[in-house]
Amino acid sequence: MSKHHDPTRPTGSEHQQVTLRGPAELADALPYMLGFHPTDSIVLVAVHGARGRFGGRLRLGIPESSVEWLPVSQHLAECLIEGSERRGARPDGIVVFLCQDPAEGETGRAVMERLRPLAQWLRTSCGSLDVPVHEALCISGGRFWSYCCPDARCCPADGTAMAMPGTSVMAAAAAYVGIQIRGSLREMEARLAPLRTPVAADQQRALDTAAAALVPRILDGQSRGAVGEETLRLARRLMQRLGERATLGRAWADADDRDDKLISADEAAQVILGLQDRETRDRAASWMEGPEADRALRLWRALARRCVGPYGEHAAAPLSLAGWVAWSSGDEPGARVALSLALRADPEYVFARLLHQACNDGMDPAELRHCLRKPRRSRDAAAKPLGGASRDRPPRPGGRRARPRRRPRSALAEGKVKRGGGKTGAAAGPAGSGPDPHPGRNTPRDVDSRGVARADRRADGSSTGEG
């Protein structure tokens, strides 16, 4: 399972307020609070004050095994409450959403009943910390149910139909301030998933060939710089090629397919392998503004889709770059999707962990942009670690990573980031939240929970919950 939460900033008026009345309007407001339609998700929203102002949001995938439900519920309640306290205000209540589509042959009501124990664990876990759950809703199959309301007159056993899209007060307010729903989490992840068409076999062979040729050169200090220059030159040519084929107005699947056809398997393999070097990757991260940003984002997405077969771990580099460019461009939900998937590919990938932490902490990406605009030499000289020694490392042929004894630090990978900059509180307005990397796993900060969660706690000295 995975975890995700999001301090966000409204794109319109900072004082825009929407009053929600009842479970129906709460259910309709959820995708506007997150920026997408959650799938297979637990969502917790902190509520503050007598008027019920929304605070921090936390989203994670529903564990496949019910054995995990109790410990996950306890952890989530602790994360959201402690995160809210760190940002200045303990929540006065919590609203819980359970979102899951029915399986084949299953009804929405059956989903609701199956998830009832999970809802109860979440309610008791929050209550044990003296924060009540004001409402707990299950959303499934276009209908919603309340786990808190016993009155069948307002909450019938067969559920209540969701409002027609775009007809609610929340939809009107979101349109007014410019908030857009980016589809479902599943659709957003699909744009970055490895190709599963017949070209995947050709791509794997190209990666095998490129790994055999490039990895020894990356590990050789004398030729490492030359490989980096070759990688960046090729990446720029590909960006120029993509820029000549505009995709505005196209459906995302059509646009991605067109981009895929503009990049050969050999070209993709060379750039993917070259980006495994931290310095090369950090230099590529400077392509994050203006028209260059759009072309870079399209390239990083296309390269992530080319990390097929045993090279899935190599996707951490292009996915992290995609997340960085999306965040820098103001697309926080899209950034969290990419960074989450980067950490699924490699839970110990420091670059993605640092970016995701900074995004969750409400840092203004302008600080990182300023860092990346500095001359490379001054960035390296001023680099300071934020989250411990980096484990980014070049791969061995066949998809396994090598472990050189010593690697020079690079500014962004080793954490040349000032903490505490920008806004750090979770927004109360109807802005987006980050999606999670893999809804079937338990992952604080989108890092694998079976061990890396503990490492993540050690790295920043705090819980991973966001309030």
Side-chain angles (χ1 to χ4, degrees):
M1 189 180 67
S2 62
K3 180 170 80 177
H4 223 91
H5 45 270
D6 184 25
T8 54
R9 291 178 284 277
T11 57
S13 170
E14 292 289 341
H15 302 290
Q16 180 74 16
Q17 296 182 358
V18 178
T19 300
L20 303 178
R21 298 178 176 87
E25 293 187 356
L26 274 176
D28 178 74
L30 181 60
Y32 298 99
M33 288 191 283
L34 301 181
F36 61 95
H37 293 278
T39 51
D40 293 320
S41 299
I42 303 170
V43 180
L44 272 63
V45 181
V47 178
H48 299 272
R51 301 187 64 182
R53 176 181 58 84
F54 287 156
R57 283 135 247 197
L58 184 152
R59 196 212 74 85
L60 72 162
I62 296 175
E64 294 180 359
S65 172
S66 60
V67 174
E68 298 183 56
W69 288 357
L70 174 57
V72 164
S73 298
Q74 294 170 334
H75 182 60
L76 292 183
E78 176 185 334
C79 284
L80 184 60
I81 294 169
E82 289 186 357
S84 296
E85 290 176 332
R86 288 199 308 271
R87 286 160 181 79
R90 182 180 179 85
D92 297 294
I94 291 175
V95 177
V96 172
F97 300 88
L98 299 180
C99 308
Q100 191 172 76
D101 293 331
E104 185 176 355
E106 190 178 31
T107 65
R109 182 175 179 179
V111 173
M112 181 272 294
E113 293 294 350
R114 176 165 49 80
L115 297 179
R116 185 182 291 277
L118 174 57
Q120 187 61 25
W121 285 127
L122 288 164
R123 294 175 68 186
T124 57
S125 297
C126 294
S128 68
L129 298 174
D130 297 324
V131 180
V133 171
H134 294 329
E135 182 61 272
L137 299 178
C138 176
I139 300 175
S140 181
R143 306 182 75 83
F144 71 87
W145 290 258
S146 171
Y147 290 113
C148 297
C149 180
D151 192 344
R153 291 173 297 180
C154 62
C155 297
D158 290 331
T160 304
M162 300 284 292
M164 290 291 292
T167 61
S168 67
V169 62
M170 191 68 171
Y176 176 75
V177 298
I179 295 174
Q180 297 181 348
I181 304 300
R182 294 164 175 80
S184 71
L185 171 61
R186 188 176 294 113
E187 291 171 339
M188 295 173 73
E189 289 186 333
R191 300 195 69 178
L192 302 167
L195 296 175
R196 300 188 182 279
T197 59
V199 301
D202 294 336
Q203 185 62 64
Q204 182 171 331
R205 285 192 289 270
L207 286 164
D208 288 339
T209 301
L214 293 179
V215 171
R217 296 180 62 201
I218 294 174
L219 294 176
D220 184 346
Q222 294 183 346
S223 58
R224 177 185 174 196
V227 174
E229 293 297 335
E230 294 166 8
T231 300
L232 295 173
R233 282 197 298 270
L234 176 55
R236 280 197 171 278
R237 289 200 300 272
L238 296 177
M239 287 168 56
Q240 182 178 2
R241 189 183 305 167
L242 293 174
E244 294 170 354
R245 302 290 190 274
T247 57
L248 294 177
R250 292 176 173 267
W252 67 262
D254 184 29
D256 291 346
D257 182 65
R258 187 170 186 176
D259 287 348
D260 289 335
K261 292 177 180 177
L262 293 173
I263 302 173
S264 72
D266 290 337
E267 290 171 330
Q270 181 176 341
V271 179
I272 289 169
L273 269 295
L275 289 175
Q276 304 308 306
D277 176 68
R278 289 180 297 174
E279 291 189 5
T280 304
R281 180 207 61 204
D282 287 358
R283 292 173 63 187
S286 64
W287 304 333
M288 76 292 189
E289 296 178 290
E292 193 174 53
D294 177 68
R295 299 172 186 178
L297 182 57
R298 289 167 59 190
L299 175 60
W300 306 143
R301 285 173 177 162
L303 295 180
R305 295 191 292 268
R306 299 299 187 96
C307 294
V308 298
Y311 292 89
E313 189 182 53
H314 293 57
L319 285 169
S320 297
L321 290 169
W324 159 238
V325 175
W327 182 34
S328 178
S329 303
D331 180 9
E332 291 188 9
R336 285 184 172 83
V337 172
L339 295 173
S340 299
L341 292 176
L343 290 168
R344 184 200 297 185
D346 185 352
E348 299 183 12
Y349 198 68
V350 173
F351 185 59
R353 290 179 63 182
L354 293 175
L355 286 174
H356 191 259
Q357 177 180 325
C359 191
N360 277 344
D361 284 348
M363 173 182 268
D364 188 342
E367 296 189 27
L368 285 175
R369 287 196 295 267
H370 177 71
C371 169
L372 289 168
R373 292 190 198 102
K374 291 181 179 180
R376 181 69 201 180
R377 180 175 301 175
S378 65
R379 291 208 311 268
D380 286 346
K384 295 181 180 179
L386 175 66
S390 172
R391 300 192 184 185
D392 304 354
R393 51 192 178 271
R396 289 177 179 172
R400 299 184 61 188
R401 291 179 179 272
R403 297 175 180 261
R405 291 183 180 179
R406 296 179 61 88
R407 297 294 304 275
R409 291 180 178 178
S410 58
L412 200 53
E414 292 297 328
K416 186 179 180 298
V417 178
K418 292 183 179 179
R419 300 189 66 179
K423 295 174 67 176
T424 59
S433 170
D436 87 69
H438 34 101
R441 298 173 61 188
N442 180 13
T443 326
R445 275 196 200 282
D446 305 312
V447 183
D448 184 83
S449 65
R450 295 170 177 81
V452 181
R454 295 187 295 274
D456 195 41
R457 285 174 178 260
R458 291 194 298 270
D460 62 14
S462 65
S463 170
T464 58
E466 196 75 25

